[in-house]
Amino acid sequence: MDDAMEDEAESQTIAEEVPIAGVFNPPSVNNERVLSGESYTHLSAVPATLIADMSTECVLGVDEAGRGPVLGPMVYGLFYLPLPLHHSLLAQTHHFDDSKVLTPTVRSDLVSTLCSPSTDLYQHCGWATRTMSARDITAAQLRANGAYNLNAQAMDATIDLIQQVLDQGVNVREVYIDTIGPPATYQKKLERVFPSLQVTVAKKADSLYPCVSAASVCAKVTRDAALDVLYSTYARPEEQGVVAWGSGYPSDARCTSWLKGNMHPLFGWGNECRFSWGTAKELLESKGAPCRMDWPKPEEDGDNMKLTGFLTEAEEEEKEDGMATWFGRRVAAEVF
């Protein structure tokens, strides 16, 4: 993990990233999977209006939430709807915008509306999320056979989400994505994967294209709700909805204080922590109790034999000593 990325969050962003009490719990949050540290994908049903006419051309947007924090998952959100409704329904009627511009309450209300069957958002729009757990992000970045960096993980999550929507039969024509690197390079990669789609990758796409804004809102609300679930294992009765680790960003004093105060000397933290982040690694190295583990290298001289090896060896010895059993086997004196 690049340390510079950990320090990107400014004070205003940190304040906006703190989960609020009573956030809407969307169907994209699976409590059991979140607590177990599992990464998973949620796909909404294809809207009834699109099922009635699958030839309807759609626009699709992708954005993420939680790229920089040391705590909690990174969530990729996807949002699609018919092209003619792109601006009128999202921007004019429901006022979707970059999730960082909207208040937590507004974001929560928008996703709640999206999940209500009687609303126009539910009837015309589809969405999906990919929740990438802190545990899996860490495991990928610390792989012994070569790091699977965060940009590569993000690219694969984006491709997988788009492909799953296409597999549902949705007639996607235009795709807009908030970049995770140089826009031109990212766009060329996606165009090679999806040659039939009109792909646009841009900086600040979440404030330029309403479908990307909606995707960012779905991702952010899903992450906030997942953080609530993760914190529930630590919450004290007197806290009453307060998340003591704050935003989860390393530059947030509440986050670093919580990490220091809740660090196990051997295991560190639970599935909520990205151990590959510099903040976590430094705390483990400097604040950990004398529980350093030195793992022995595997022996290559055959000393570490399996149980079957001992049994085979005993059989061989018995065969070699065949004369000793020619006239029968000895029995103990107790038999007589």
Side-chain angles (χ1 to χ4, degrees):
M1 173 65 191
D2 296 331
D3 290 338
M5 185 185 299
E6 298 181 12
D7 299 325
E8 284 180 357
E10 299 176 355
S11 58
Q12 182 180 356
T13 303
I14 289 174
E16 293 164 349
E17 290 287 342
V18 178
I20 60 171
V23 65
F24 174 68
N25 192 6
S28 53
V29 176
N30 183 309
N31 289 15
E32 183 177 348
R33 287 181 162 185
V34 169
L35 289 172
S36 68
E38 180 183 352
S39 297
Y40 64 93
T41 298
H42 167 80
L43 288 167
S44 75
V46 176
T49 53
L50 290 182
I51 293 177
D53 183 7
M54 294 301 285
S55 65
T56 303
E57 294 188 343
C58 293
V59 60
L60 180 152
V62 179
D63 198 11
E64 55 79 24
R67 182 176 174 81
V70 66
L71 295 174
M74 179 169 74
V75 180
Y76 258 79
L78 176 150
F79 197 96
Y80 64 90
L81 75 164
L83 265 168
L85 299 177
H86 186 195
H87 290 274
S88 60
L89 181 60
L90 298 185
Q92 297 171 15
T93 302
H94 291 282
H95 309 290
F96 275 94
D97 204 340
D98 175 8
S99 64
K100 294 184 288 296
V101 175
L102 303 174
T103 65
T105 301
V106 170
R107 292 193 301 255
S108 184
D109 290 344
L110 284 171
V111 176
S112 177
T113 302
L114 175 63
C115 296
S116 301
S118 61
T119 65
D120 50 2
L121 282 177
Y122 182 92
Q123 293 166 6
H124 295 288
C125 306
W127 60 290
T129 58
R130 175 64 181 171
T131 300
M132 304 163 66
S133 72
R135 185 196 68 180
D136 288 349
I137 289 173
T138 296
Q141 290 184 315
L142 299 180
R143 287 194 312 195
N145 58 345
Y148 180 24
N149 67 47
L150 199 62
N151 283 353
Q153 294 181 56
M155 171 67 81
D156 289 345
T158 299
I159 292 171
D160 184 59
L161 280 176
I162 295 173
Q163 187 60 57
Q164 289 193 60
V165 170
L166 294 175
D167 291 343
Q168 288 182 306
V170 179
N171 183 22
V172 177
R173 304 311 306 159
E174 298 179 10
V175 175
Y176 297 93
I177 301 175
D178 196 29
T179 189
I180 57 173
T185 303
Y186 190 17
Q187 183 169 316
K188 287 180 180 178
K189 289 181 180 179
L190 290 171
E191 287 173 340
R192 286 197 295 269
V193 178
F194 303 108
S196 64
L197 304 182
Q198 180 183 323
V199 179
T200 300
V201 178
K203 294 181 179 179
K204 304 295 183 183
D206 47 4
S207 60
L208 297 174
Y209 308 105
C211 60
V212 182
S213 302
S216 74
V217 169
C218 291
K220 185 64 176 72
V221 172
T222 297
R223 172 175 156 80
D224 283 353
L227 282 172
D228 274 355
V229 173
L230 287 168
Y231 192 73
S232 65
T233 60
Y234 296 99
R236 301 180 180 89
E238 66 272 13
E239 289 179 341
Q240 297 182 347
V242 177
V243 179
W245 63 40
S247 66
Y249 277 86
S251 50
D252 186 343
R254 290 164 297 182
C255 173
T256 52
S257 295
W258 185 89
L259 286 170
K260 292 176 183 177
N262 292 271
M263 183 177 67
H264 189 280
L266 179 59
F267 300 108
W269 304 273
N271 290 324
E272 73 282 347
C273 184
R274 304 179 192 179
F275 288 78
S276 50
W277 259 233
T279 304
K281 289 191 288 188
E282 290 169 9
L283 281 173
L284 285 171
E285 291 172 0
S286 62
K287 303 293 183 181
C291 293
R292 182 179 179 85
M293 300 293 291
D294 291 320
W295 300 99
K297 294 182 179 180
E299 299 285 347
E300 297 181 357
D301 57 5
D303 289 342
N304 295 332
M305 295 182 63
K306 296 181 179 179
L307 179 59
T308 52
F310 288 101
L311 296 175
T312 304
E313 183 177 323
E315 291 174 0
E316 292 296 330
E317 289 179 355
E318 184 175 320
K319 289 179 182 178
E320 292 176 1
D321 197 18
M323 291 299 295
T325 59
W326 180 262
F327 297 103
R329 295 180 181 275
R330 294 178 182 146
V331 295
E334 290 79 6
V335 175
F336 301 99

